[in-house]
Amino acid sequence: MIDDALTEGPELSSKLIGRAQGFYASAGINELVALINMNFAFLVGKYNGSTISIMGRDEVLSGVREMPIVGGSGLFRFARGYVQARTKMLDPKTGDSTVEYNIYVFHY
């Protein structure tokens, strides 16, 4: 289960804009792959109270991973599109990581 800070940039001092909430589950027998179900819950500005939901396969060690947007709420109602994830930092000892998500979304 996750409830991580969603920030404008990768630095810990970056402005908090929401929470990344959901779960990761191991999904690979012979490779490091996760099933991700996550909501980007926005807490500030125009998108405050709105969410974007993603669900998909994450090949953790790949440079760029693509996962589908499966919906949203608020201003992102009927959302569709995709996200591209890139790991910016990974500490194998603690499991801590910083992941950049570029979101390409269509919504009404």
Side-chain angles (χ1 to χ4, degrees):
M1 301 300 291
I2 60 165
D3 184 3
D4 296 332
L6 184 60
T7 60
E8 284 185 341
E11 300 82 17
L12 291 175
S13 60
S14 289
K15 180 181 175 186
L16 180 73
I17 59 170
R19 306 295 301 179
Q21 300 170 324
F23 67 86
Y24 296 89
S26 179
I29 293 174
N30 298 315
E31 57 189 333
L32 188 54
V33 175
L35 167 68
I36 294 183
N37 185 331
M38 185 167 36
N39 294 298
F40 297 110
F42 296 95
L43 301 174
V44 298
K46 176 180 176 180
Y47 302 112
N48 183 24
S50 298
T51 65
I52 293 175
S53 301
I54 67 169
M55 184 170 178
R57 181 176 188 270
D58 183 357
E59 284 186 65
V60 178
L61 299 178
S62 293
V64 178
R65 292 93 67 194
E66 185 175 298
M67 290 164 277
I69 294 172
V70 296
S73 66
L75 290 177
F76 295 111
R77 190 174 293 127
F78 297 116
R80 66 182 199 272
Y82 65 99
V83 299
Q84 289 183 332
R86 290 176 179 83
T87 300
K88 294 300 200 177
M89 184 279 298
L90 174 62
D91 184 337
K93 289 184 179 183
T94 64
D96 290 342
S97 65
T98 300
V99 179
E100 173 185 81
Y101 289 90
N102 288 302
I103 301 172
Y104 303 89
V105 61
F106 292 101
H107 61 93
Y108 296 96

